Amino acid sequence: MKVAYIASEVFPYAKTGGLGDVAGTLPKELAKLGNDVKVFMPKYNLFSEIDYGLHYQWKIGGILIPIADRIHSVHVQKAYLPESNGKKNSKVEIYFIDCPYYYYRYRVYTDDPDEDERFILFSKSVLEVIKRLNWSPDIIHCNDWHTGIIPLLIKDQPQSGEFSYSNEKVFERTATIFTIHNIAYQGIFDKHTFEKAGINPKYFLNGGHGEYYGKVSFLKTGIMVSDIINTVSETYAKELLTPEYGSGMDPFLNLRKEDFYGVLNGVDYNIWNPETDKLIPYNYSKNDLSGKLKNKKYLLENLGLTFDENIPLIGIISRLVEQKGFDILNEVLDEIITLNAHWVILGSGKRKYEEMFAQLAQNHPKKFSAYIGYNDEFAHLIEAGADMILMPSVYEPCGLNQIYSLKYGTVPIVRKTGGLADTVLDWHECLSEGKEIGTGYSFVNFSGSALLQSLKTAINDFHNKDLWRKIQLNGMEKDYSWQKSAEKYMELYKKATKRLNNGSS
């Protein structure tokens, strides 16, 4: 298949969250399955063209894109996605939409008044580039609200005499898939946004595909118009159909329920693997865990905490925001302080959470260490040196740190939601069914008391070394590689193509 993969951020060029990781890895796995994959993203001024081998595309040349009352000049640069080890390039082409007026702002997302225009231009430019390449994709794979109007642009039936991508032969047999990475971000703008994009007003009026409480939502547009919709875990897909988790989009997802799927994100084991990880001092494997204990000793000593192999080290690696569940942690801090455990926290975000953890480290320097910010090497070291990782999220579309932790023999303690529910099997829940297949600990109720009980249970089990080793090995044997996810996306591509051919879109 020919697959156009479109995202607002792609690692290593730009990344603010999980979308960047996915967009930097999934296209390469799709290519390994025999697909012709091209990636498209904006050219931000966050990285150097020279460092990543970008080349101006003379054959494409300049492109003029109208938005509202202005014409913007767009140019295109191309490179090849680097392999995960960074030593060579893959065969996957990546095209950068270069328009300094919109993208040279030193941030991926700006909240500027013209944020809608930035991604209107991106969406229309991608379609123009595909036209000029004379490359007819079988699938256009859109990601999050930033690309939500693309399916509408190629299906928009214009008023008489107006230009429309739906009349372009290159898109005649192109099916669309729309992936929601986080439902909370919806691309909601002023009601005149579709006018700026030159989209037929009928899609806004009278509850049209893009209208959302008198405004325009790019996310709703993608949901209503794409051939297939998916999100990044099976449980999160089920949750999004409910008012509790759907963030107002659940009525529209329920309308498209038959075309809505969950596909768990994968991880890149070339990067996250304790056997080969170059960012940790001691490599180890499921056959020999001695290196993990050495990493714990190294980590604790460098943090100024006393090493004791019988005292568990609990890690937190996270964005420090409401979604991650730190309010319920705060509820039971007095009890947590009394637990016989060491803690290491790495993250940044909302000031109240940064101050909460910084204060903990200051007031209890023998138990807590906090690094406010982000450091990739430190994240790897925590995964390798900690005994447990805590993720008490309010909701979690997929989550990656719990998957990294499983591979590193670092036992996850998670709230049972979204991708956390799909990847972490509660030890005692499995044991009650007569199965010793658990890989961690989970709690259902979003409360401090439920979190505290899971922590106490995990700490108690930690002292049973045979049991603990069993849980570690269960996790380390799990395979959440991107290959499996890519195969599932291929199934969705086939469904999207079939739906288009059946005339259902």
Side-chain angles (χ1 to χ4, degrees):
M1 283 189 173
K2 295 178 181 177
V3 180
Y5 194 93
I6 307 169
S8 56
E9 54 183 86
V10 179
F11 181 81
Y13 313 101
K15 171 188 167 181
T16 67
L19 170 58
D21 285 322
V22 174
T25 307
L26 176 57
K28 292 181 288 190
E29 292 298 326
L30 291 169
K32 290 175 185 176
L33 295 177
N35 299 292
D36 177 9
V37 185
K38 300 184 192 300
V39 179
F40 300 83
M41 71 169 287
K43 169 60 183 76
Y44 306 107
N45 59 338
L46 299 169
F47 60 92
S48 164
E49 293 95 333
I50 296 174
D51 290 344
Y52 287 102
L54 273 64
H55 295 283
Y56 181 71
Q57 297 304 287
W58 295 99
K59 289 184 179 179
I60 294 175
I63 303 172
L64 299 179
I65 301 291
I67 298 180
D69 298 323
R70 293 191 60 174
I71 303 293
H72 295 275
S73 179
V74 171
H75 296 273
V76 182
Q77 300 194 53
K78 186 182 88 170
Y80 291 88
L81 279 180
E83 295 289 3
S84 55
N85 59 18
K87 292 182 179 179
K88 63 177 183 178
N89 290 329
S90 70
K91 295 180 180 179
V92 177
E93 297 173 338
I94 177 166
Y95 291 84
F96 297 87
I97 305 303
D98 194 357
C99 181
Y101 179 82
Y102 283 124
Y103 303 130
Y104 284 25
R105 301 184 185 183
Y106 294 99
R107 287 182 293 170
V108 175
Y109 312 117
T110 67
D111 290 327
D112 290 340
D114 62 353
E115 191 79 340
D116 57 344
E117 297 179 13
R118 297 176 75 227
F119 291 102
I120 290 170
L121 179 122
F122 175 53
S123 299
K124 297 180 84 169
S125 297
V126 166
L127 298 181
E128 287 292 334
V129 173
I130 291 172
K131 275 176 52 183
R132 296 189 183 206
L133 291 172
N134 195 28
W135 180 72
S136 298
D138 300 293
I139 296 289
I140 290 182
H141 189 154
C142 302
N143 290 273
D144 273 348
W145 72 259
H146 326 97
T147 60
I149 65 168
I150 290 176
L152 181 57
L153 287 171
I154 66 171
K155 294 178 182 179
D156 179 13
Q157 297 300 319
Q159 300 179 57
S160 178
E162 291 186 353
F163 168 79
S164 172
Y165 290 103
S166 65
N167 295 329
E168 295 289 336
K169 191 171 180 60
V170 71
F171 301 117
E172 188 175 30
R173 304 311 305 165
T174 300
T176 54
I177 178 172
F178 183 60
T179 300
I180 302 168
H181 295 264
N182 191 328
I183 200 79
Y185 303 101
Q186 301 182 350
I188 297 175
F189 300 106
D190 181 83
K191 65 181 181 180
H192 299 296
T193 289
F194 274 4
E195 294 178 28
K196 295 180 185 179
I199 292 173
N200 193 323
K202 73 178 183 180
Y203 295 108
F204 175 78
L205 298 174
N206 302 317
H209 290 330
E211 188 272 338
Y212 187 68
Y213 292 101
K215 294 189 175 183
V216 165
S217 168
F218 283 30
L219 184 74
K220 182 193 170 188
T221 305
I223 291 170
M224 296 304 296
V225 183
S226 301
D227 293 300
I228 292 291
I229 311 107
N230 84 288
T231 190
V232 292
S233 70
E234 292 183 6
T235 296
Y236 191 54
K238 294 173 184 175
E239 290 174 342
L240 292 189
L241 297 174
T242 69
E244 181 181 0
Y245 290 97
S247 296
M249 291 292 156
D250 49 291
F252 315 115
L253 287 170
N254 274 287
L255 285 172
R256 299 296 312 280
K257 187 175 180 179
E258 298 303 314
D259 303 312
F260 182 42
Y261 300 86
V263 177
L264 190 72
N265 282 341
V267 299
D268 190 339
Y269 287 129
N270 292 311
I271 298 174
W272 293 96
N273 186 339
E275 295 184 48
T276 57
D277 192 336
K278 292 181 172 56
L279 297 180
I280 61 177
Y282 303 100
N283 293 114
Y284 60 97
S285 71
K286 63 183 179 182
N287 298 319
D288 181 5
L289 283 170
S290 60
K292 184 165 182 60
L293 188 62
K294 293 177 182 177
N295 285 314
K296 178 178 178 178
K297 186 174 189 291
Y298 176 89
L299 176 58
L300 285 166
E301 289 178 349
N302 278 277
L303 294 175
L305 299 174
T306 303
F307 169 72
D308 185 335
E309 64 179 294
N310 295 312
I311 297 177
L313 175 60
I314 304 171
I316 292 175
I317 305 171
S318 179
R319 287 184 295 117
L320 304 183
V321 294
E322 284 90 347
Q323 176 204 333
K324 299 302 181 178
F326 298 119
D327 288 329
I328 59 171
L329 183 70
N330 190 40
E331 287 177 15
V332 290
L333 274 185
D334 290 342
E335 293 91 336
I336 283 174
I337 290 166
T338 67
L339 298 176
N340 189 26
H342 289 133
W343 291 76
V344 55
I345 297 101
L346 169 63
S348 63
K350 289 250 176 144
R351 179 172 294 180
K352 69 174 182 176
Y353 301 119
E354 292 183 349
E355 291 177 351
M356 178 180 83
F357 286 121
Q359 198 69 46
L360 263 178
Q362 183 175 331
N363 294 344
H364 306 277
K366 294 183 178 181
K367 281 195 171 185
F368 291 85
S369 176
Y371 182 112
I372 305 304
Y374 186 75
N375 181 297
D376 189 49
E377 182 177 357
F378 194 25
H380 281 251
L381 185 54
I382 292 173
E383 291 289 6
D387 297 296
M388 310 168 193
I389 203 87
L390 178 63
M391 298 177 69
S393 303
V394 181
Y395 66 93
E396 194 65 62
C398 176
L400 292 174
N401 279 109
Q402 84 279 9
I403 303 179
Y404 302 152
S405 298
L406 292 172
K407 182 58 69 176
Y408 281 71
T410 303
V411 176
I413 304 169
V414 304
R415 179 158 177 266
K416 200 169 186 176
T417 182
L420 301 177
D422 290 339
T423 53
V424 179
L425 301 175
D426 184 87
W427 171 258
H428 289 283
E429 187 177 315
C430 293
L431 205 60
S432 69
E433 299 171 356
K435 303 173 183 176
E436 294 187 350
I437 60 173
T439 57
Y441 299 83
S442 62
F443 57 97
V444 176
N445 293 332
F446 185 68
S447 68
S449 58
L451 182 156
L452 184 62
Q453 184 56 52
S454 280
L455 276 172
K456 287 180 175 179
T457 301
I459 291 171
N460 182 66
D461 287 350
F462 173 78
H463 297 290
N464 183 336
K465 296 304 180 185
D466 290 339
L467 180 152
W468 195 257
R469 176 65 61 89
K470 176 64 176 173
I471 298 173
Q472 287 180 298
L473 294 181
N474 285 349
M476 295 180 81
E477 289 170 357
K478 290 292 183 182
D479 180 6
Y480 293 107
S481 63
W482 267 114
Q483 180 181 347
K484 289 191 171 185
S485 301
E487 290 170 353
K488 291 183 178 180
Y489 272 108
M490 286 302 300
E491 293 175 14
L492 294 191
Y493 292 169
K494 291 172 185 176
K495 289 180 187 291
T497 301
K498 183 177 180 181
R499 190 176 189 279
L500 179 72
N501 290 337
N502 288 342
S504 301
S505 58

